[in-house]
Amino acid sequence: MKKQIYFYEILGLRGKKLGEFQSEEKSKKDMLLKAEGVLMGAGVLRSFVIVRVRDEWKNIVHEIKKIH
């Protein structure tokens, strides 16, 4: 099975970039699980977090938010 390259961006208030990393996933389900894990991890320290997942061509594939 071919692996997809995804870029994960973690954003805070006012779109401030808190971090980003690149990962290879085998399926979209694996990408969604990793994005939710990143959101939960960053949500421990921040009250407002956005996780955006982009594909190889920098198109947004998935976006999730946590507002507490």
Side-chain angles (χ1 to χ4, degrees):
M1 181 176 242
K2 184 180 175 186
K3 291 187 177 182
Q4 287 280 105
I5 297 174
Y6 292 106
F7 298 92
Y8 297 82
E9 295 178 340
I10 302 115
L11 305 169
L13 286 173
R14 298 184 191 105
K16 181 180 177 186
K17 189 176 280 191
L18 302 174
E20 64 182 336
F21 65 95
Q22 174 184 341
S23 181
E24 290 184 6
E25 307 299 336
K26 290 184 178 181
S27 68
K28 188 168 183 171
K29 183 179 176 183
D30 292 340
M31 178 269 296
L32 293 173
L33 284 172
K34 185 170 275 189
E36 288 179 16
V38 170
L39 182 72
M40 288 173 56
V44 170
L45 301 173
R46 299 285 180 149
S47 61
F48 180 79
V49 179
I50 299 172
V51 176
R52 284 188 188 145
V53 183
R54 297 181 183 268
D55 61 6
E56 298 175 45
W57 301 280
K58 303 297 183 185
N59 298 322
I60 296 175
V61 177
H62 189 69
E63 179 176 295
I64 51 177
K65 298 178 185 178
K66 179 210 172 257
I67 301 171
H68 189 291

